Amino acid sequence: MTYDLIILGGGPAGYLAAERAGHAGLKVALVEERSLGGVCLNEGCIPTKTLLYSAKLYDGAKNGAKYGVSAEGLQIDHAAVVRRKDKVVKTLVGGVKAQMRANQVDVFEARGAVRGRAAEGFSVLAGETEVVGKRLLVATGSSPAVPPIPGLKEGLQSGFVATSREILDLKEPPKNLCVIGGGVIGLEFASYFSSIGAQVRVVEMLGHIAGENDPELVSLLKADLEKRGIVFDLEAKVTGIEKNGVRYEQGGESRLAEADRVLLSIGRRANTQGAGLETVGVHLERGAVVTDDRMRTNQPGVWAAGDVTGFSMLAHTAYREAEVAVNDMLGLPDRMRYDAIPAVLYTNPELASVGETEQSAAQKGLPFRAVKLPMRFSGRYLAENEGGNGIMKLIVNEKTQRVLGVCALSNYASEFIVTAGTWIEAGLSLNQIKKIVFPHPTVSEILREAVFQYE
Ligand code: NAI
């Protein structure tokens, strides 16, 4: 049989594309070698959020006195936290499987690789089985980057060094964790393991943590994490993995960060090796598939979506890219835009942003003005964050009076940032936004407050 669409990879891009295409009546084959749901469901977004939620409850109880709450004999059972994580993952993977059945998607549980063109389109090998389809969607995702650091390969083999995959399943949490890379993955795990009692040191190559986020919010977050005992070594170049820790150079000196476990989290690379994309001439740049804004590759009949494009490696970006790709296959006009994609660091407090920061707006030469507010201007924030010092910023295009960006360091920031994303995506003016009613009291009201403070 010839499928209308073969999808390589069953993560957020792949399974959502399968769902949408199947629903639209296309006959879809989905090839996935591991578990449906990909990194996001099995070893990324969802598992880390279950861990971080347990840590948040534990931290809340430990620091309950300022809210009039006290507890004795408080404990966190890491093994139980991991068991619950497994249960949540199993439920969600089950949900994806059910969606595949509901949309008549044939799932091939095998490693897939493109073999070349066939009379009716493309030939893919799913394990030993040949699958033929008219169209191809490459959604093979990404894997942790492993740089050529002396001792790293051996460390990964022995288990002393873990990536975000292995660290999720540790039965015994580390006592002394060294995290290489202070980006999203590094900070979320640093936050969890320090909450449950580990000594955590983050070794970061740059002069700051948390990537391209607003530096002022990042420095507040860093101070918060430091207060909780996390140590940051910035401008530190890792030179080797040793038996008892990580060797790095800082300010011309060689130092050793002692550790009983190391987490490697220095970015991810697109999974294109071994996918057979060269057999049909798909153009790659630095190992990632190049697409246009309809998610088309250079080869007619081949689309790509998700981390494999090497760009905006986020599950929610992958969802949208998958939808754009499927709409394009169906002849429905749709284009991928990246202006209003929220980014969230699920630390406690959360750091969420969408659109431009002051820095990126200035770099692009945009005519902008920023409003900066303490989160304490929100009654609900004050009620729930004793001593909290979060801030938020609203960036407005002075000429058009439209919102360019918002960032916030606050509880619930992950939930309310989409409000600002909607304003940006819809191109609403401040005058239009002023007429929108927010529920009171909510932390989200800070957005409305900032809009009214803009003069
Ligand atoms: P990242 O790119 O966010 O951060 C990597 C960090 O490692 C950077 O700060 C970089 O300067 C540093 N680094 C690079 N090489 C280094 C070296 N040799 N020594 C020390 N530091 C070094 O990458 P991360 O944290 O691995 O995450 C990968 C991807 O996963 C990201 O693209 C992110 O989008 C996605 N992700 C998103 C999450 C979220 O949205 N909450 C959570 C987890 C992952």
Side-chain angles (χ1 to χ4, degrees):
M1 122 180 234
T2 302
Y3 286 93
D4 293 314
L5 169 63
I6 304 175
I7 301 175
L8 279 184
Y15 76 71
L16 196 83
E19 208 177 307
R20 297 283 190 267
H23 187 75
L26 299 189
K27 190 64 198 145
V28 181
L30 176 69
V31 189
E32 168 58 59
E33 66 173 324
R34 288 206 180 97
S35 175
L36 283 179
V39 170
C40 163
L41 259 184
N42 295 285
E43 56 199 61
C45 318
I46 300 296
T48 50
K49 262 77 269 172
T50 61
L51 263 55
L52 287 166
Y53 184 67
S54 294
K56 193 170 157 188
L57 287 179
Y58 183 55
D59 285 340
K62 271 194 298 190
N63 302 311
K66 54 189 177 187
Y67 300 93
V69 177
S70 58
E72 272 173 30
L74 198 65
Q75 281 185 339
I76 184 158
D77 176 351
H78 175 71
V81 173
V82 172
R83 278 198 301 278
R84 195 181 85 88
K85 178 268 290 179
D86 290 340
K87 193 181 78 182
V88 170
V89 169
K90 199 169 158 214
T91 307
L92 289 170
V93 171
V96 175
K97 282 186 186 157
Q99 280 297 335
M100 295 305 102
R101 278 194 299 274
N103 292 292
Q104 274 103 46
V105 175
D106 287 343
V107 177
F108 292 80
E109 293 175 11
R111 186 173 172 79
V114 184
R115 235 173 36 157
R117 291 184 190 275
E120 289 145 311
F122 303 94
S123 165
V124 167
L125 259 192
E128 309 279 285
T129 314
E130 187 190 14
V131 187
V132 175
K134 293 180 200 158
R135 307 173 184 86
L136 206 57
L137 174 70
V138 184
T140 45
S142 65
S143 302
V146 181
I149 295 173
L152 182 56
K153 233 168 86 188
E154 294 78 2
L156 283 164
Q157 270 159 8
S158 71
F160 175 53
V161 181
T163 68
S164 52
R165 171 179 295 163
E166 300 85 36
I167 203 150
L168 276 168
D169 288 322
L170 294 181
K171 298 282 173 291
E172 275 292 315
K175 290 189 177 57
N176 230 317
L177 174 69
C178 178
V179 176
I180 307 179
V184 242
I185 294 184
L187 292 178
E188 290 186 2
F189 280 108
S191 180
Y192 172 73
F193 284 111
S194 89
S195 287
I196 70 165
Q199 295 292 319
V200 180
R201 178 179 289 270
V202 178
V203 178
E204 165 62 51
M205 178 175 82
L206 300 177
H208 62 86
I209 57 166
E212 299 306 308
N213 276 297
D214 179 278
E216 202 176 347
L217 271 67
V218 170
S219 71
L220 281 173
L221 173 67
K222 182 165 166 275
D224 232 85
L225 296 173
E226 281 169 339
K227 237 192 277 165
R228 285 164 40 192
I230 301 177
V231 176
F232 292 97
D233 278 314
L234 304 182
E235 295 181 343
K237 184 176 183 292
V238 176
T239 52
I241 307 295
E242 301 187 0
K243 273 203 181 73
N244 55 343
V246 174
R247 173 75 53 192
Y248 62 99
E249 253 175 47
Q250 196 184 34
E253 274 181 42
S254 172
R255 295 166 196 237
L256 180 73
E258 284 191 34
D260 58 0
R261 188 77 65 172
V262 175
L263 169 67
L264 179 72
S265 50
I266 58 153
R268 301 181 64 88
R269 298 283 171 268
N271 288 335
T272 48
Q273 272 196 352
L277 301 178
E278 67 288 349
T279 63
V280 287
V282 171
H283 179 52
L284 307 182
E285 255 176 39
R286 276 177 276 125
V289 179
V290 180
T291 64
D292 64 11
D293 61 358
R294 287 179 285 190
M295 308 318 296
R296 293 177 180 184
T297 68
N298 63 319
Q299 293 298 328
V302 186
W303 287 257
D307 285 9
V308 75
T309 61
F311 186 77
S312 186
M313 291 188 173
L314 298 163
H316 44 280
T317 301
Y319 284 149
R320 183 70 196 120
E321 288 176 340
E323 284 169 354
V324 171
V326 171
N327 284 338
D328 191 47
M329 293 173 201
L330 297 170
L332 304 169
D334 201 359
R335 301 275 170 160
M336 186 64 207
R337 284 185 305 276
Y338 295 92
D339 313 333
I341 294 191
V344 180
L345 246 165
Y346 291 85
T347 41
N348 185 13
E350 296 170 347
L351 199 167
S353 60
V354 65
E356 307 291 347
T357 58
E358 285 178 278
Q359 292 68 34
S360 66
Q363 258 166 25
K364 290 178 188 168
L366 296 168
F368 75 93
R369 282 225 328 270
V371 176
K372 176 173 121 184
L373 290 184
M375 288 303 306
R376 278 177 280 115
F377 277 30
S378 147
R380 174 102 184 263
Y381 179 88
L382 196 60
E384 297 185 3
N385 294 276
E386 190 58 42
N389 63 348
I391 54 173
M392 69 81 69
K393 291 185 184 180
L394 169 77
I395 321 292
V396 177
N397 185 316
E398 273 190 306
K399 282 211 177 107
T400 62
Q401 296 283 295
R402 288 187 176 148
V403 175
L404 288 171
V406 166
C407 51
L409 182 69
S410 168
N411 60 333
Y412 309 130
S414 58
E415 297 291 342
F416 67 73
I417 198 69
V418 68
T419 307
T422 312
W423 297 346
I424 297 171
E425 184 66 30
L428 299 186
S429 69
L430 291 188
N431 278 336
Q432 288 171 308
I433 294 170
K434 282 177 178 169
K435 296 180 182 124
I436 297 171
V437 178
F438 282 64
H440 176 77
T442 55
V443 179
S444 68
E445 284 174 296
I446 197 74
L447 297 176
R448 187 171 155 80
E449 190 60 37
V451 167
F452 277 89
Q453 296 257 344
Y454 181 88
E455 285 155 20

Coordinates of all heavy atoms in Angstrom, one line a residue, residues 44-45 48-49 142 144-145 147 149 164 179-188 203-206 208-211 236-238 264-268 307 312-316 342-346, ligand 1:
G44 N 11.8 14.9 28.7 CA 12.0 16.4 28.6 C 11.0 17.1 29.3 O 10.9 17.0 30.6
C45 N 10.2 17.9 28.6 CA 9.2 18.8 29.2 C 8.4 18.2 30.3 O 8.4 18.7 31.4 CB 8.2 19.3 28.1 SG 9.0 19.7 26.6
T48 N 10.3 16.6 33.5 CA 11.0 17.6 34.4 C 10.0 18.4 35.1 O 10.2 18.8 36.3 CB 11.9 18.5 33.6 OG1 11.2 19.0 32.5 CG2 13.1 17.8 33.1
K49 N 8.8 18.6 34.5 CA 7.8 19.4 35.2 C 7.2 18.6 36.4 O 6.8 19.2 37.4 CB 6.7 19.9 34.3 CG 6.9 21.3 33.8 CD 7.9 21.5 32.7 CE 9.3 21.8 33.1 NZ 10.2 21.8 32.0
S142 N 16.0 16.0 18.1 CA 17.4 16.4 18.4 C 17.9 15.5 19.6 O 17.2 14.8 20.3 CB 17.5 17.8 18.8 OG 16.8 18.0 20.0
P144 N 21.3 15.4 22.8 CA 22.2 16.2 23.5 C 23.5 16.4 22.7 O 24.0 15.4 22.2 CB 22.5 15.5 24.8 CG 21.3 14.6 25.0 CD 20.8 14.3 23.6
A145 N 24.1 17.6 22.7 CA 25.4 17.8 22.0 C 26.5 17.2 22.9 O 26.4 17.4 24.1 CB 25.6 19.3 21.8
P147 N 30.4 17.5 23.1 CA 31.7 18.1 22.5 C 32.9 17.2 22.8 O 32.8 16.3 23.7 CB 31.8 19.4 23.3 CG 31.1 19.2 24.6 CD 30.0 18.1 24.4
I149 N 35.4 16.8 24.7 CA 36.1 17.2 26.0 C 36.8 15.9 26.5 O 36.2 14.8 26.5 CB 35.1 17.7 27.0 CG1 34.5 19.0 26.6 CG2 35.8 17.8 28.4 CD1 33.4 19.5 27.5
S164 N 20.4 14.8 30.0 CA 19.0 15.0 30.6 C 18.2 13.7 30.5 O 17.3 13.5 31.3 CB 18.3 16.1 29.8 OG 18.3 15.8 28.4
V179 N 26.9 20.7 37.0 CA 26.1 20.8 35.8 C 27.0 21.6 34.8 O 27.4 22.7 35.1 CB 24.8 21.6 36.1 CG1 24.1 21.9 34.8 CG2 23.9 20.9 37.1
I180 N 27.2 21.0 33.6 CA 28.0 21.7 32.6 C 27.0 22.4 31.7 O 26.2 21.7 31.0 CB 28.9 20.8 31.8 CG1 29.8 20.0 32.7 CG2 29.7 21.6 30.8 CD1 30.7 19.0 32.0
G181 N 26.9 23.7 31.7 CA 26.0 24.5 30.8 C 24.8 25.0 31.7 O 24.0 24.3 32.2
G182 N 24.8 26.4 31.7 CA 23.7 27.0 32.5 C 22.6 27.5 31.6 O 22.1 28.6 31.8
G183 N 22.1 26.7 30.7 CA 21.0 27.0 29.9 C 19.7 26.5 30.5 O 19.7 26.2 31.7
V184 N 18.7 26.3 29.7 CA 17.4 25.8 30.2 C 17.5 24.5 31.0 O 17.0 24.4 32.1 CB 16.3 25.7 29.1 CG1 15.2 26.6 29.4 CG2 16.9 25.8 27.8
I185 N 18.1 23.5 30.3 CA 18.1 22.1 30.9 C 18.9 22.2 32.2 O 18.5 21.7 33.3 CB 18.7 21.1 29.9 CG1 17.7 20.9 28.7 CG2 18.9 19.8 30.6 CD1 18.1 19.9 27.7
G186 N 20.1 22.8 32.1 CA 21.0 22.9 33.3 C 20.3 23.5 34.5 O 20.4 23.0 35.6
L187 N 19.6 24.6 34.2 CA 19.0 25.4 35.3 C 17.8 24.6 35.9 O 17.6 24.6 37.2 CB 18.6 26.8 34.9 CG 19.8 27.7 34.5 CD1 19.3 29.1 34.1 CD2 20.7 27.9 35.7
E188 N 17.0 24.0 35.1 CA 15.9 23.3 35.7 C 16.3 22.1 36.5 O 15.8 21.9 37.6 CB 14.9 22.8 34.5 CG 14.2 24.0 33.9 CD 13.2 23.6 32.8 OE1 12.9 22.4 32.6 OE2 12.6 24.6 32.3
V203 N 28.7 25.1 35.8 CA 29.9 25.6 35.1 C 29.4 26.1 33.8 O 29.0 25.3 33.0 CB 30.9 24.5 35.0 CG1 32.2 25.0 34.3 CG2 31.4 24.0 36.4
E204 N 29.5 27.3 33.5 CA 29.0 28.0 32.3 C 30.1 28.7 31.6 O 30.8 29.5 32.2 CB 27.8 28.9 32.7 CG 27.4 29.8 31.6 CD 26.9 29.2 30.3 OE1 26.0 28.3 30.3 OE2 27.4 29.6 29.2
M205 N 30.2 28.5 30.3 CA 31.2 29.1 29.4 C 31.0 30.6 29.3 O 32.0 31.3 29.3 CB 31.0 28.4 28.1 CG 31.9 28.8 27.0 SD 31.5 27.6 25.6 CE 30.0 28.4 24.9
L206 N 29.8 31.1 29.2 CA 29.6 32.5 29.0 C 29.6 33.3 30.3 O 29.7 32.7 31.4 CB 28.2 32.7 28.3 CG 27.9 32.0 27.0 CD1 26.5 32.3 26.5 CD2 28.9 32.6 26.0
H208 N 27.2 34.8 31.6 CA 25.8 34.8 32.2 C 25.1 33.5 31.9 O 25.5 32.7 31.0 CB 25.0 35.9 31.5 CG 24.8 35.8 30.0 ND1 23.8 35.0 29.5 CD2 25.5 36.2 29.0 CE1 23.8 35.0 28.2 NE2 24.9 35.7 27.9
I209 N 24.1 33.2 32.7 CA 23.3 32.0 32.5 C 22.0 32.4 31.7 O 21.8 33.5 31.4 CB 22.9 31.4 33.9 CG1 22.1 32.4 34.8 CG2 24.1 30.8 34.6 CD1 21.4 31.8 35.9
A210 N 21.3 31.4 31.4 CA 19.9 31.5 30.9 C 19.8 32.2 29.5 O 18.8 32.8 29.1 CB 19.0 32.2 31.8
G211 N 20.9 32.0 28.7 CA 20.8 32.3 27.3 C 20.5 33.8 27.0 O 21.0 34.7 27.6
A236 N 33.7 30.0 32.4 CA 34.5 28.8 32.8 C 34.6 27.8 31.6 O 33.6 27.5 31.1 CB 33.9 28.1 34.0
K237 N 35.8 27.5 31.3 CA 36.0 26.6 30.1 C 36.3 25.2 30.7 O 37.3 25.0 31.3 CB 37.1 27.1 29.3 CG 37.4 26.3 28.0 CD 38.5 27.0 27.2 CE 38.7 26.3 25.9 NZ 39.3 25.0 25.9
V238 N 35.4 24.2 30.3 CA 35.6 22.9 30.8 C 36.8 22.3 30.0 O 36.8 22.3 28.8 CB 34.4 22.0 30.6 CG1 34.6 20.6 31.0 CG2 33.2 22.6 31.5
L264 N 25.5 16.9 31.7 CA 25.9 17.6 30.5 C 24.7 18.2 29.8 O 23.8 17.5 29.4 CB 26.6 16.6 29.5 CG 27.1 17.2 28.2 CD1 28.3 18.0 28.4 CD2 27.4 16.0 27.2
S265 N 24.7 19.5 29.8 CA 23.5 20.2 29.2 C 24.0 21.5 28.5 O 23.8 22.6 28.9 CB 22.5 20.6 30.3 OG 23.1 21.2 31.3
I266 N 24.7 21.2 27.3 CA 25.3 22.4 26.6 C 24.6 22.6 25.3 O 25.3 23.2 24.4 CB 26.8 22.2 26.5 CG1 27.1 20.9 25.7 CG2 27.5 22.1 27.8 CD1 28.4 20.9 25.0
G267 N 23.4 22.2 25.1 CA 22.7 22.4 23.9 C 22.4 21.1 23.2 O 22.8 20.0 23.7
R268 N 21.6 21.1 22.1 CA 21.2 19.9 21.4 C 21.5 20.1 19.9 O 21.6 21.2 19.4 CB 19.7 19.7 21.7 CG 19.3 19.5 23.1 CD 17.8 19.3 23.3 NE 17.4 18.0 22.7 CZ 17.4 16.8 23.4 NH1 17.9 16.8 24.6 NH2 17.0 15.7 22.8
D307 N 12.6 20.0 16.2 CA 14.0 20.2 16.5 C 14.9 19.9 15.4 O 16.0 20.5 15.3 CB 14.5 19.4 17.7 CG 13.9 19.9 19.1 OD1 13.1 20.8 19.1 OD2 14.4 19.4 20.1
S312 N 14.8 27.1 17.2 CA 13.7 27.2 18.2 C 13.3 25.8 18.7 O 12.2 25.3 18.4 CB 12.5 27.9 17.6 OG 11.5 28.1 18.5
M313 N 14.2 25.2 19.4 CA 14.0 23.7 19.8 C 13.1 23.7 20.9 O 13.5 23.4 22.1 CB 15.4 23.1 20.1 CG 16.2 22.9 18.9 SD 17.7 21.9 19.3 CE 18.4 21.6 17.8
L314 N 11.8 23.9 20.7 CA 10.8 23.9 21.7 C 9.6 23.0 21.2 O 9.2 23.1 20.0 CB 10.3 25.3 22.0 CG 11.4 26.2 22.5 CD1 10.9 27.7 22.4 CD2 11.7 25.9 24.0
A315 N 8.9 22.3 22.1 CA 7.8 21.5 21.7 C 6.7 22.3 21.1 O 6.1 21.9 20.1 CB 7.3 20.7 22.9
H316 N 6.4 23.5 21.7 CA 5.3 24.3 21.1 C 5.6 24.8 19.8 O 4.8 25.0 18.9 CB 4.9 25.4 22.1 CG 6.0 26.2 22.8 ND1 6.7 25.7 23.9 CD2 6.5 27.4 22.6 CE1 7.5 26.6 24.3 NE2 7.5 27.6 23.5
P342 N 6.6 31.8 22.9 CA 7.0 32.0 24.3 C 8.2 31.1 24.7 O 8.3 30.0 24.1 CB 5.8 31.7 25.1 CG 4.6 31.6 24.1 CD 5.3 31.2 22.8
A343 N 9.0 31.6 25.6 CA 10.1 30.7 26.1 C 9.9 30.8 27.6 O 9.7 31.8 28.2 CB 11.4 31.3 25.7
V344 N 10.0 29.6 28.3 CA 9.9 29.6 29.7 C 11.0 28.8 30.4 O 11.3 27.7 29.9 CB 8.5 28.9 30.1 CG1 8.3 28.8 31.6 CG2 7.3 29.6 29.4
L345 N 11.5 29.3 31.4 CA 12.4 28.6 32.3 C 11.6 28.2 33.5 O 11.1 29.1 34.3 CB 13.5 29.5 32.8 CG 14.9 29.3 32.3 CD1 15.7 30.5 32.5 CD2 15.5 28.1 33.0
Y346 N 11.4 26.9 33.7 CA 10.5 26.4 34.8 C 11.2 26.3 36.2 O 11.0 25.4 36.9 CB 9.8 25.1 34.4 CG 8.9 25.3 33.3 CD1 9.3 25.2 32.0 CD2 7.5 25.4 33.5 CE1 8.4 25.4 30.9 CE2 6.6 25.6 32.4 CZ 7.1 25.5 31.1 OH 6.2 25.7 30.1
Ligands
NAI1 P1 20.9 25.8 25.9 O1 21.4 26.2 24.6 O2 19.7 26.3 26.5 O3 22.1 26.0 27.0 C1 23.4 25.5 26.9 C2 24.3 26.3 27.8 O4 25.6 25.7 27.8 C3 24.6 27.7 27.2 O5 24.4 28.7 28.3 C4 26.0 27.6 26.7 O6 26.7 28.9 26.8 C5 26.6 26.6 27.6 N1 27.8 25.9 27.1 C6 28.0 25.4 25.8 N2 29.1 24.8 25.8 C7 29.7 24.7 27.0 C8 30.9 24.2 27.6 N3 31.7 23.5 26.9 N4 31.1 24.4 28.9 C9 30.2 25.1 29.7 N5 29.1 25.6 29.2 C10 28.8 25.5 27.9 O7 20.9 24.1 25.9 P2 20.2 23.1 26.9 O8 20.0 23.6 28.2 O9 21.1 21.9 26.7 O10 18.8 22.8 26.2 C11 18.7 22.3 24.9 C12 17.4 22.7 24.2 O11 16.3 22.1 24.9 C13 17.2 24.2 24.2 O12 17.3 24.6 22.9 C14 15.9 24.4 24.7 O13 15.1 25.1 23.8 C15 15.3 23.0 25.0 N6 14.6 23.0 26.3 C16 13.6 23.8 26.6 C17 13.1 23.8 27.9 C18 12.0 24.8 28.2 O14 11.4 25.4 27.3 N7 11.7 25.0 29.4 C19 13.5 22.9 28.9 C20 14.6 22.1 28.5 C21 15.1 22.1 27.2

